[in-house]
Amino acid sequence: MKNQEFEQRIEKYLKRQFGITITSASKRQVYEALMSTVREKLSEKKFAYEQELKKTKQKRAYYMSMEFLVGRTLRNNLFNLGLEKETKEYLEKNNFNLDEIYDIEPDPGLGNGGLGRLASCYLDALTSSDYPVTGFSILYEYGIFKQVINNGWQQEFPDYWLDLGKYGLVYRNDEEIEVRFYGHVEEKMTEDGFKVEHKDYTSIQAEPYDLLISGYKTKTVNTLRLWEAKAKTGFNMKLFERGEYSKSSEAEAIASSISKLLYPADSTNEGKELRIKQQYFFISASLQQLVKNHYNEFGTLENLSEHVALHINDTHPAMGVPELMRLLLDEYGYSWDKAWEITTKTFAYTNHTIMAEALEKWSVDLFKPLLPRIYSIIEEINKRFCQWVIDQGKDYTLAETAIIYDNQIRMANLSIVGSHNVNGVSKLHSDILVESTFRAFNELYPSKFGNVTNGIAHRRWLGQANPELASYLKDLIGDDFVKDLSKISKLNDYKNDKKVVAKLQEIKKVKKEQLATYIQNTTGITVNPDSIFDVQVKRLHEYKRQLLNALHIVYLYREIKYNGLRPVPRTFIFAAKASSGYQMAKNIIKFIHSISQMIECDELVRQYIKVVFLPDYKVTLAEKIIPAADISEQISQAGKEASGTGNMKLMLNGALTLGTLDGANVEIHEAVGDDNIFIFGLETPEVDALNAQGYKPWEYYNSSVKIKETLDFIKTMTVGGMNFNFIVDYLLTQDNYMCLADFESYVEAQEKVAQTYQDKEKWGQMSLVNTANAGIFSADRSVEEYAKDIWNIKKVK
């Protein structure tokens, strides 16, 4: 499409929808016109693309994930379609600023943390690489929540993103699906064999919406299919008249809750039930539609694995295994053995957690009444699997490998048994899986486990989030890196070029000034762009150790105030959401805010350090913070972070990693070398050994003056009438993630950071090396590995 035609479509939309020309349109109207016109453009490309796929009948991948943290779509689509520059000029001619139009779009509330962002990076990369893929998830009406900080406390409010975000969605009312809950199962022998009937169920309608995924300079357009829950039958008047009032509106109540929020609090049985419903809802709708389409095209499901690769992203979609079995057995009449063969050839599973306590489990008593047929299938899978293990002479592994054990359904075990491939997401993570977390499974399936290190969509995280840097790099080394990030390694040739190093630092200063303005406008805190921007942005969880970061800040505060320390000025920047039911995480947010208040009230200390907590962390905020970062805090306890992707985004934008040898930090360390990263703390074997002998935080308190003085000072802190003795008590009695064990090493590493930063040229060289060696962390590389080694899919020619 010529750019002129694109402009004409925008003006045609304004005329048709609002009866106006662009000269009299509001920003809101221009935004709607742009979103709708881009959607129309992608729909046309999607049609041509689907026609090509119908000819080739080639295998496709289907990526199932509870969340996709896609970020704003308008800029991404204009960038990928090569229309951004011309659209900007066209709008400027008509007195509109494209950046202001971008700001109207809310972040789609479809994800929360790294899991969802990774899924979105993979959809972007697969599309740009011309691989056929579809994502499946839920259309969450209110996302996870909008985070508001009130007097330092996190408060959660609905995120009304669909009001302005709906213009990117295509409603597919031709593909609605029925999903069934509750009821009971009747099994009987008939002339046609063994039959199972699900009776007295509650029916929920799954309404499909498609978010079209564009690729960079490609004809490929893929789809993220999002399901919204609606009551199929609505209000049941007969039940109401019989006095069964709650049951008369049961379907409406269930439907209204399923697609309301991502990750409802699961501290109660009601919350757990809702999570089970959500997971089954989107899995069942997706597989029913997919299987029906395949059968209509081929007249059989025996070749399903030849044309379909189903991927379980973490354990949330694990019910795909028994649901596909249900469809094959009950709807299409396959035998158990044949259905199991098809299922296991079709599914693959990515594990995202090392911690056994974080692996999803559901109580049988809770699960069985909700999904009676799915439970009966899981029960049969478990029975046959356990018998197979016994036949192998390895029944001693069953306590770890059984799918149903101690009255719990273990979803990771179900995913492993039901898949032909299981992968971790970093070298360290995958090693720990086979050596520890899933050691027994690796003994049973020695060829099933592998690794695909995570990657990021560099076209968004560099090309769009940091246009100043991307533009300079294009002039310096050419634009090949935009399509192939490995080409960014050419930047290494300029490590000793003082002009290039100075220019990169100049660009970093611009991004820091932009972020400083945002911080001022958002929080009222004035920060110094010449200070070290020390950034920790990620989900708030104890194992990620925002608390360790906060302890160091308190240590610095005390050293400046009482011991004459005059450090290099530093701005500590946090952004994170705590799960709504996670009280300790919320307490840590309050603690960080209180430290910030204490510093702001101290005329001396605030000259040297500032603490900023930016509320409502999301992709758009990350795009502001990451290009401005000098230090990337990746300080999780070793052996706990599967990979991380924020570390990769920060590295690509020239931030230096301060971290433990955990997750993908190990591979970042390998990529940049000892001299271009700050590593501290215990390593995974040391953490394991300390756990085995019994970790005693009191010993660190008694043997370290720095720890003792820092914790004793926290006991004296009273900010806004609140003290933090409970933080000290927690650290001295539990300290589950060994903050105190790593504290001294962390302080030393931070001192090295401050010392190194004073040598501007050296710092600039280290920053350059990080950017230049980020090529291996492209999502393009990751998805190539999935496509070739796991899914066996080919590019669309």
Side-chain angles (χ1 to χ4, degrees), residues 402-436:
I403 298 163
I404 302 174
Y405 188 82
D406 196 22
N407 205 42
Q408 287 189 316
I409 307 169
R410 303 191 286 195
M411 306 309 281
N413 293 12
L414 176 61
S415 301
I416 293 168
V417 173
S419 297
H420 64 85
N421 186 278
V422 179
N423 72 279
V425 290
S426 73
K427 287 179 184 176
L428 176 64
H429 171 221
S430 297
D431 288 344
I432 292 172
L433 288 184
V434 298
E435 292 167 8
S436 178

Short mmCIF file of all heavy atoms in Angstrom, two decimals, residues 402-436:
data_model
loop_
_atom_site.label_atom_id
_atom_site.label_comp_id
_atom_site.label_asym_id
_atom_site.label_seq_id
_atom_site.Cartn_x
_atom_site.Cartn_y
_atom_site.Cartn_z
N ALA A 402 4.75 -39.07 40.17
CA ALA A 402 3.32 -39.33 40.01
C ALA A 402 2.57 -38.02 39.77
O ALA A 402 2.88 -37.00 40.36
CB ALA A 402 2.78 -40.05 41.24
N ILE A 403 1.58 -38.09 38.89
CA ILE A 403 0.81 -36.89 38.58
C ILE A 403 -0.17 -36.57 39.70
O ILE A 403 -0.37 -35.41 40.05
CB ILE A 403 0.07 -37.08 37.23
CG1 ILE A 403 1.08 -37.28 36.11
CG2 ILE A 403 -0.85 -35.89 36.93
CD1 ILE A 403 0.50 -37.87 34.85
N ILE A 404 -0.79 -37.59 40.27
CA ILE A 404 -1.66 -37.42 41.44
C ILE A 404 -0.95 -38.05 42.63
O ILE A 404 -0.64 -39.24 42.62
CB ILE A 404 -3.04 -38.06 41.23
CG1 ILE A 404 -3.73 -37.48 40.00
CG2 ILE A 404 -3.91 -37.86 42.47
CD1 ILE A 404 -5.04 -38.16 39.63
N TYR A 405 -0.69 -37.24 43.63
CA TYR A 405 0.05 -37.74 44.80
C TYR A 405 -0.36 -36.92 46.02
O TYR A 405 -0.47 -35.68 45.94
CB TYR A 405 1.56 -37.60 44.57
CG TYR A 405 2.40 -38.25 45.63
CD1 TYR A 405 2.65 -39.63 45.60
CD2 TYR A 405 2.95 -37.50 46.67
CE1 TYR A 405 3.44 -40.24 46.57
CE2 TYR A 405 3.74 -38.10 47.65
CZ TYR A 405 3.97 -39.47 47.60
OH TYR A 405 4.73 -40.07 48.56
N ASP A 406 -0.61 -37.58 47.11
CA ASP A 406 -1.00 -36.90 48.35
C ASP A 406 -2.22 -36.01 48.13
O ASP A 406 -2.29 -34.89 48.60
CB ASP A 406 0.18 -36.08 48.88
CG ASP A 406 -0.01 -35.67 50.33
OD1 ASP A 406 -0.80 -36.33 51.03
OD2 ASP A 406 0.61 -34.67 50.75
N ASN A 407 -3.17 -36.55 47.35
CA ASN A 407 -4.44 -35.87 47.07
C ASN A 407 -4.26 -34.54 46.32
O ASN A 407 -5.09 -33.65 46.40
CB ASN A 407 -5.24 -35.61 48.37
CG ASN A 407 -6.73 -35.50 48.09
OD1 ASN A 407 -7.29 -36.27 47.29
ND2 ASN A 407 -7.39 -34.52 48.70
N GLN A 408 -3.17 -34.44 45.57
CA GLN A 408 -2.93 -33.25 44.76
C GLN A 408 -2.59 -33.64 43.33
O GLN A 408 -1.91 -34.65 43.08
CB GLN A 408 -1.78 -32.43 45.33
CG GLN A 408 -2.11 -31.69 46.62
CD GLN A 408 -0.99 -30.73 47.01
OE1 GLN A 408 0.17 -31.08 46.95
NE2 GLN A 408 -1.36 -29.52 47.39
N ILE A 409 -3.06 -32.81 42.39
CA ILE A 409 -2.70 -32.98 40.98
C ILE A 409 -1.52 -32.06 40.70
O ILE A 409 -1.61 -30.85 40.89
CB ILE A 409 -3.88 -32.61 40.05
CG1 ILE A 409 -5.13 -33.38 40.44
CG2 ILE A 409 -3.52 -32.89 38.59
CD1 ILE A 409 -6.39 -32.89 39.75
N ARG A 410 -0.42 -32.64 40.26
CA ARG A 410 0.80 -31.88 40.05
C ARG A 410 0.93 -31.56 38.55
O ARG A 410 1.23 -32.42 37.73
CB ARG A 410 1.99 -32.65 40.59
CG ARG A 410 1.78 -32.98 42.07
CD ARG A 410 3.01 -33.51 42.75
NE ARG A 410 3.33 -34.88 42.39
CZ ARG A 410 4.20 -35.64 43.09
NH1 ARG A 410 4.78 -35.16 44.18
NH2 ARG A 410 4.47 -36.87 42.72
N MET A 411 0.70 -30.27 38.23
CA MET A 411 0.55 -29.88 36.83
C MET A 411 1.85 -29.93 36.05
O MET A 411 1.85 -30.18 34.85
CB MET A 411 -0.08 -28.49 36.76
CG MET A 411 -1.39 -28.34 37.51
SD MET A 411 -2.61 -29.62 37.12
CE MET A 411 -3.25 -29.01 35.56
N ALA A 412 2.97 -29.69 36.71
CA ALA A 412 4.26 -29.82 36.01
C ALA A 412 4.48 -31.27 35.59
O ALA A 412 4.94 -31.55 34.47
CB ALA A 412 5.40 -29.33 36.88
N ASN A 413 4.16 -32.21 36.48
CA ASN A 413 4.32 -33.63 36.16
C ASN A 413 3.41 -34.02 35.00
O ASN A 413 3.81 -34.78 34.11
CB ASN A 413 4.01 -34.49 37.39
CG ASN A 413 5.04 -34.31 38.48
OD1 ASN A 413 5.86 -33.40 38.44
ND2 ASN A 413 5.00 -35.18 39.48
N LEU A 414 2.19 -33.51 35.00
CA LEU A 414 1.26 -33.76 33.89
C LEU A 414 1.83 -33.23 32.58
O LEU A 414 1.77 -33.89 31.54
CB LEU A 414 -0.09 -33.11 34.19
CG LEU A 414 -1.16 -33.19 33.11
CD1 LEU A 414 -1.52 -34.65 32.80
CD2 LEU A 414 -2.41 -32.41 33.53
N SER A 415 2.43 -32.05 32.63
CA SER A 415 3.00 -31.44 31.43
C SER A 415 4.18 -32.26 30.90
O SER A 415 4.32 -32.43 29.68
CB SER A 415 3.47 -30.01 31.73
OG SER A 415 2.40 -29.21 32.17
N ILE A 416 5.01 -32.75 31.80
CA ILE A 416 6.18 -33.53 31.39
C ILE A 416 5.75 -34.86 30.77
O ILE A 416 6.21 -35.25 29.69
CB ILE A 416 7.11 -33.77 32.58
CG1 ILE A 416 7.72 -32.45 33.06
CG2 ILE A 416 8.22 -34.75 32.22
CD1 ILE A 416 8.43 -32.53 34.40
N VAL A 417 4.85 -35.56 31.45
CA VAL A 417 4.42 -36.88 30.98
C VAL A 417 3.69 -36.75 29.64
O VAL A 417 3.83 -37.61 28.77
CB VAL A 417 3.52 -37.56 32.04
CG1 VAL A 417 2.91 -38.84 31.50
CG2 VAL A 417 4.32 -37.85 33.30
N GLY A 418 2.95 -35.66 29.46
CA GLY A 418 2.12 -35.50 28.25
C GLY A 418 2.82 -34.83 27.09
O GLY A 418 2.20 -34.60 26.05
N SER A 419 4.12 -34.52 27.21
CA SER A 419 4.84 -33.80 26.16
C SER A 419 6.00 -34.64 25.62
O SER A 419 6.54 -35.48 26.33
CB SER A 419 5.39 -32.48 26.70
OG SER A 419 4.35 -31.63 27.11
N HIS A 420 6.39 -34.34 24.38
CA HIS A 420 7.53 -35.05 23.80
C HIS A 420 8.84 -34.31 24.05
O HIS A 420 9.93 -34.86 23.86
CB HIS A 420 7.35 -35.23 22.29
CG HIS A 420 7.31 -33.95 21.51
ND1 HIS A 420 8.45 -33.31 21.08
CD2 HIS A 420 6.27 -33.19 21.08
CE1 HIS A 420 8.11 -32.21 20.41
NE2 HIS A 420 6.80 -32.12 20.42
N ASN A 421 8.75 -33.05 24.52
CA ASN A 421 9.96 -32.27 24.79
C ASN A 421 9.69 -31.32 25.95
O ASN A 421 8.61 -30.74 26.06
CB ASN A 421 10.35 -31.46 23.55
CG ASN A 421 11.68 -30.74 23.72
OD1 ASN A 421 11.75 -29.67 24.31
ND2 ASN A 421 12.75 -31.32 23.21
N VAL A 422 10.69 -31.17 26.82
CA VAL A 422 10.61 -30.24 27.95
C VAL A 422 11.88 -29.39 27.92
O VAL A 422 12.98 -29.93 27.83
CB VAL A 422 10.52 -30.97 29.30
CG1 VAL A 422 10.45 -29.97 30.46
CG2 VAL A 422 9.31 -31.90 29.32
N ASN A 423 11.71 -28.07 27.99
CA ASN A 423 12.92 -27.23 27.98
C ASN A 423 12.91 -26.23 29.12
O ASN A 423 11.86 -25.75 29.56
CB ASN A 423 13.07 -26.49 26.65
CG ASN A 423 12.07 -25.37 26.44
OD1 ASN A 423 10.93 -25.60 26.06
ND2 ASN A 423 12.50 -24.13 26.68
N GLY A 424 14.13 -25.92 29.60
CA GLY A 424 14.35 -24.80 30.49
C GLY A 424 14.67 -23.56 29.67
O GLY A 424 14.75 -23.62 28.44
N VAL A 425 14.91 -22.43 30.36
CA VAL A 425 15.00 -21.17 29.63
C VAL A 425 16.33 -20.44 29.83
O VAL A 425 16.47 -19.27 29.48
CB VAL A 425 13.82 -20.25 29.99
CG1 VAL A 425 12.52 -20.80 29.43
CG2 VAL A 425 13.71 -20.04 31.51
N SER A 426 17.30 -21.12 30.41
CA SER A 426 18.68 -20.65 30.43
C SER A 426 19.55 -21.88 30.70
O SER A 426 19.05 -22.91 31.15
CB SER A 426 18.92 -19.60 31.53
OG SER A 426 18.91 -20.19 32.82
N LYS A 427 20.84 -21.77 30.42
CA LYS A 427 21.72 -22.93 30.62
C LYS A 427 21.69 -23.40 32.07
O LYS A 427 21.55 -24.59 32.36
CB LYS A 427 23.15 -22.58 30.20
CG LYS A 427 23.35 -22.48 28.70
CD LYS A 427 24.78 -22.10 28.38
CE LYS A 427 24.98 -21.90 26.88
NZ LYS A 427 26.37 -21.44 26.58
N LEU A 428 21.82 -22.45 32.99
CA LEU A 428 21.84 -22.81 34.41
C LEU A 428 20.52 -23.43 34.82
O LEU A 428 20.48 -24.46 35.51
CB LEU A 428 22.13 -21.57 35.26
CG LEU A 428 22.07 -21.78 36.78
CD1 LEU A 428 23.16 -22.75 37.23
CD2 LEU A 428 22.22 -20.45 37.51
N HIS A 429 19.43 -22.82 34.42
CA HIS A 429 18.09 -23.31 34.76
C HIS A 429 17.90 -24.74 34.26
O HIS A 429 17.46 -25.63 35.01
CB HIS A 429 17.04 -22.38 34.14
CG HIS A 429 15.64 -22.88 34.24
ND1 HIS A 429 14.74 -22.77 33.21
CD2 HIS A 429 14.97 -23.49 35.24
CE1 HIS A 429 13.58 -23.28 33.57
NE2 HIS A 429 13.69 -23.72 34.81
N SER A 430 18.24 -24.98 33.01
CA SER A 430 18.04 -26.31 32.43
C SER A 430 18.91 -27.35 33.13
O SER A 430 18.48 -28.50 33.32
CB SER A 430 18.33 -26.27 30.93
OG SER A 430 17.41 -25.39 30.28
N ASP A 431 20.11 -26.96 33.51
CA ASP A 431 20.98 -27.89 34.26
C ASP A 431 20.37 -28.24 35.61
O ASP A 431 20.39 -29.40 36.03
CB ASP A 431 22.36 -27.26 34.47
CG ASP A 431 23.19 -27.20 33.19
OD1 ASP A 431 22.82 -27.90 32.22
OD2 ASP A 431 24.18 -26.45 33.16
N ILE A 432 19.82 -27.23 36.29
CA ILE A 432 19.22 -27.47 37.60
C ILE A 432 17.98 -28.36 37.47
O ILE A 432 17.73 -29.23 38.32
CB ILE A 432 18.87 -26.14 38.29
CG1 ILE A 432 20.16 -25.39 38.66
CG2 ILE A 432 18.03 -26.38 39.55
CD1 ILE A 432 19.92 -23.98 39.17
N LEU A 433 17.22 -28.19 36.39
CA LEU A 433 16.03 -29.02 36.19
C LEU A 433 16.39 -30.50 36.14
O LEU A 433 15.75 -31.33 36.79
CB LEU A 433 15.31 -28.62 34.89
CG LEU A 433 14.55 -27.29 34.88
CD1 LEU A 433 13.82 -27.12 33.55
CD2 LEU A 433 13.56 -27.19 36.03
N VAL A 434 17.41 -30.84 35.36
CA VAL A 434 17.74 -32.26 35.20
C VAL A 434 18.56 -32.80 36.37
O VAL A 434 18.52 -34.01 36.66
CB VAL A 434 18.47 -32.53 33.86
CG1 VAL A 434 17.58 -32.15 32.69
CG2 VAL A 434 19.79 -31.79 33.78
N GLU A 435 19.27 -31.91 37.06
CA GLU A 435 20.11 -32.37 38.17
C GLU A 435 19.38 -32.36 39.50
O GLU A 435 19.79 -33.05 40.44
CB GLU A 435 21.36 -31.49 38.27
CG GLU A 435 22.32 -31.65 37.09
CD GLU A 435 23.37 -30.56 37.04
OE1 GLU A 435 23.45 -29.76 38.01
OE2 GLU A 435 24.11 -30.48 36.05
N SER A 436 18.29 -31.58 39.58
CA SER A 436 17.63 -31.44 40.88
C SER A 436 16.11 -31.50 40.76
O SER A 436 15.49 -32.50 41.11
CB SER A 436 18.05 -30.10 41.51
OG SER A 436 17.40 -29.89 42.73
#
